[in-house]
Amino acid sequence: AARSALVQRLLETTLGTEPTSKSLKWRGLHAAVSMRFLKAFAAGVPRGFSTHDVVHEIIKPATVSLHCRYVALLDEADVGPAFAFASHTWRAPFHDLVSALAHVLEDHQFVWVDIFAVLQSTYDQLLSAPNGNQLKDEKIEDLDFATVVRGAKVFILVGSHVPEVEFLSSQEAERCIVPEEAKLRSAFFRVWCLVEMEAALRAGHPVIMLVGGEKGSAQKGPSPSPGLDKLLNDVARNSDDCDRARQLVAAGANLSSTNGEPWRHTPLHQ
């Protein structure tokens, strides 16, 4: 009986049937937010914030003492069944995510974004609530993203442009040689994104992949990037590929990082 009740609860909250109680109303598939809300929310997020920053600086402080999902704090008009599921990485710029979704969705459409739909408190924090064990179980259920993907109509993968990945050689790509920070920002290195996409393809849903950045967000001049510096250093040490070195410098690698005694006899400097 307990298992049947759990299965029914998951079906109610993820596969599109109407929830039977108010407590289940804004869970699973029904915890999507309107694009109208998402744009208004993003307007208050500082430029340069990653989605990880948004969770730790905005979402958690607003929900941790209440032991709730962020959607529980919103007007009813801004929460509803998901038309689209957004797959993304937390280390990428939050404004890139919102800009990408706004590129393909209308204000009235609802998109499922994990940071609003999932309990963000830790298990220990949830267990401090009077109904802590229930909330812990609910968080485990919340993380069944694949089921939510199947219940939505459209799957949208949002990936930020990551220069360290763009300039990988074919040999480096095969060996997965990429800085850890770049892996965290690239959707194609995130296992969850791949699992979510696989669920969408199995369900026969349209898959939209958007890679880039918010319009006008590009900085003037190269920005410091240790990952690009490392790639440039590897080129300088191990090859005479001047064209690739120029590409890396144009993308933001610091040419002066290859100066000094250790570099004097490398092929690129001779």
Side-chain angles (χ1 to χ4, degrees):
R3 179 176 176 79
S4 296
L6 173 60
V7 170
Q8 180 59 31
R9 184 163 60 177
L10 285 171
L11 288 173
E12 288 172 346
T13 57
T14 57
L15 295 183
T17 60
E18 287 301 316
T20 56
S21 70
K22 188 173 182 179
S23 65
L24 300 177
K25 184 174 182 180
W26 290 346
R27 288 193 58 204
L29 189 71
H30 298 269
V33 297
S34 70
M35 281 303 305
R36 184 182 299 104
F37 157 78
L38 189 56
K39 290 178 181 179
F41 177 88
V45 174
R47 296 287 164 179
F49 262 36
S50 66
T51 302
H52 180 272
D53 295 329
V54 172
V55 170
H56 287 274
E57 300 295 330
I58 300 175
I59 302 295
K60 283 190 173 184
T63 59
V64 65
S65 63
L66 299 172
H67 306 293
C68 70
R69 300 162 185 82
Y70 197 83
V71 290
L73 308 178
L74 306 184
D75 292 337
E76 288 197 22
D78 288 323
V79 186
F83 170 75
F85 180 99
S87 183
H88 63 108
T89 62
W90 278 22
R91 295 289 179 177
F94 179 73
H95 284 277
D96 285 0
L97 170 65
V98 177
S99 180
L101 295 174
H103 183 66
V104 294
L105 296 175
E106 302 292 337
D107 284 357
H108 69 276
Q109 292 180 310
F110 290 87
V111 57
W112 197 93
V113 184
D114 56 352
I115 65 172
F116 303 114
V118 174
L119 287 164
Q120 297 300 336
S121 298
T122 66
Y123 288 118
D124 286 342
Q125 289 169 336
L126 293 174
L127 288 173
S128 69
N131 60 336
N133 287 324
Q134 176 189 341
L135 290 173
K136 179 181 176 182
D137 291 342
E138 287 187 5
K139 178 161 183 171
I140 294 172
E141 294 168 11
D142 282 354
L143 297 176
D144 182 15
F145 290 5
T147 306
V148 181
V149 170
R150 291 193 290 270
K153 306 298 183 186
V154 176
F155 178 85
I156 303 174
L157 176 68
V158 177
S160 289
H161 176 73
V162 182
E164 293 91 337
V165 175
E166 177 186 1
F167 290 103
L168 284 176
S169 67
S170 57
Q171 293 82 5
E172 290 167 338
E174 289 174 1
R175 293 159 56 196
C176 296
I177 298 177
V178 62
E180 186 62 27
E181 182 61 26
K183 286 184 180 180
L184 294 174
R185 288 185 286 120
S186 174
F188 299 101
F189 281 101
R190 181 175 176 260
V191 173
W192 281 63
C193 288
L194 301 180
V195 170
E196 292 157 3
M197 185 185 297
E198 190 266 349
L201 293 172
R202 282 185 177 274
H205 292 339
V207 171
I208 301 171
M209 290 190 286
L210 301 170
V211 179
E214 181 188 21
K215 186 176 181 180
S217 65
Q219 300 178 358
K220 293 183 179 180
S223 59
S225 174
L228 287 178
D229 290 350
K230 181 181 182 301
L231 291 175
L232 179 62
N233 292 177
D234 290 341
V235 171
R237 278 196 184 98
N238 303 313
S239 78
D240 58 357
D241 191 345
C242 294
D243 288 339
R244 186 157 186 246
R246 292 190 188 98
Q247 288 179 331
L248 290 167
V249 171
N254 183 3
L255 184 61
S256 65
S257 68
T258 66
N259 291 339
E261 186 64 31
W263 304 97
R264 193 153 298 163
H265 300 292
T266 60
L268 195 63
H269 285 66
Q270 292 177 2

